[in-house]
Amino acid sequence: MSRTSAGTTPDVLVIGGGIIGLVTAWRAAQRGLRTAVADPEPGGGAAQVAAGMLAAVTELHYGEETLLRLNLASAERYPDFVAELEDATGRDVGYRACGTLAVALDADDRAHLRELHALQQRCGLRSEWLSGRECRRLEPMLAPGVRGGLRVDGDHQVDPRRLAAALVAACGRAGVVFHRAWAERLSAAGDRARGASSRTARRWPPGRWCWRGAAAAAASPASRRRSSPRCGR
């Protein structure tokens, strides 16, 4: 496993400690790369308020057939990922293979879900159209006016707060170093990011790669105004 310290130049600098950033850092460290994450609150941000839906079928949209294949392959691998993470940390991440019930509250909702159901069927996906009464049989607390819904047993969910906490723990055990500050500026050579600096002018030079995670996009008003060079080797 990767072992580094705050004064060591990392092979990989991950900017933004959201779910994707933490997974990236954990996997990099597992592969023997000295890895650091720049984020004032790793595992915070959107992970603390997200619903944790892993709904590749229910969240299908027109024109996303190629992305659908990737989403389905990712969903198939998710239980093994969860098992590995829970084994590495001893933490329950709240994973549930419970399916999804999407309900229509009015005529417009019903028309939208009917179109979605037709798209799912054209894509060879398993979903079931239910009447309002059948929806209420599954979820008795639904309003009497529910017009119908889609049942997708293949969808699942995770508790993002537990997941984030487990990933922070896994990263720590793998030797990832956390720099608890916003990365506000990227240093670049040509069109490649070569490091970053914080508001206090602290610099983090990556040895080989700089990865800007989604959580870094909301780092500060200054960072949102500034265009970012492409990250990578």
Side-chain angles (χ1 to χ4, degrees), residues 128-206:
E128 180 185 2
W129 179 259
L130 301 179
S131 66
R133 178 176 297 178
E134 289 170 324
C135 289
R136 288 189 293 275
R137 189 177 298 129
L138 289 174
E139 288 290 345
M141 296 301 292
L142 286 174
V146 166
R147 301 289 189 90
L150 276 178
R151 175 178 177 173
V152 179
D153 290 335
D155 285 344
H156 44 192
Q157 69 178 76
V158 70
D159 185 327
R161 291 155 291 280
R162 293 183 182 182
L163 177 63
L167 285 168
V168 170
C171 284
R173 295 187 182 192
V176 175
V177 170
F178 289 102
H179 299 297
R180 296 180 181 272
W182 285 122
E184 293 203 339
R185 291 181 176 82
L186 293 176
S187 58
D191 65 347
R192 297 287 183 172
R194 294 302 186 188
S197 60
S198 69
R199 182 180 301 174
T200 58
R202 182 174 181 178
R203 301 183 67 84
W204 304 301

Side-chain angles (χ1 to χ4, degrees), residues 33-46:
L33 296 168
R34 296 187 303 272
T35 306
V37 174
D39 193 306
E41 190 180 354

Side-chain angles (χ1 to χ4, degrees), residues 87-105:
D87 183 64
T89 63
R91 293 171 178 253
D92 178 7
V93 301
Y95 173 75
R96 298 175 61 198
C98 56
T100 296
L101 177 64
V103 299
L105 300 179

Side-chain angles (χ1 to χ4, degrees), residues 5-39:
S5 64
T8 302
T9 299
D11 297 313
V12 178
L13 173 63
V14 179
I15 301 174
I19 298 295
I20 294 175
L22 291 171
V23 172
T24 301
W26 183 38
R27 291 306 195 201
Q30 285 180 315
R31 286 156 176 74
L33 296 168
R34 296 187 303 272
T35 306
V37 174
D39 193 306

Side-chain angles (χ1 to χ4, degrees), residues 7-82:
T8 302
T9 299
D11 297 313
V12 178
L13 173 63
V14 179
I15 301 174
I19 298 295
I20 294 175
L22 291 171
V23 172
T24 301
W26 183 38
R27 291 306 195 201
Q30 285 180 315
R31 286 156 176 74
L33 296 168
R34 296 187 303 272
T35 306
V37 174
D39 193 306
E41 190 180 354
Q48 298 301 306
V49 296
M53 291 178 63
L54 304 168
V57 177
T58 301
E59 295 188 337
L60 173 65
H61 296 286
Y62 287 100
E64 293 187 349
E65 288 78 8
T66 301
L67 179 60
L68 171 64
R69 291 194 294 270
L70 176 63
N71 289 343
L72 291 174
S74 188
E76 185 177 356
R77 298 173 65 179
Y78 210 89
D80 290 339
F81 163 73
V82 166

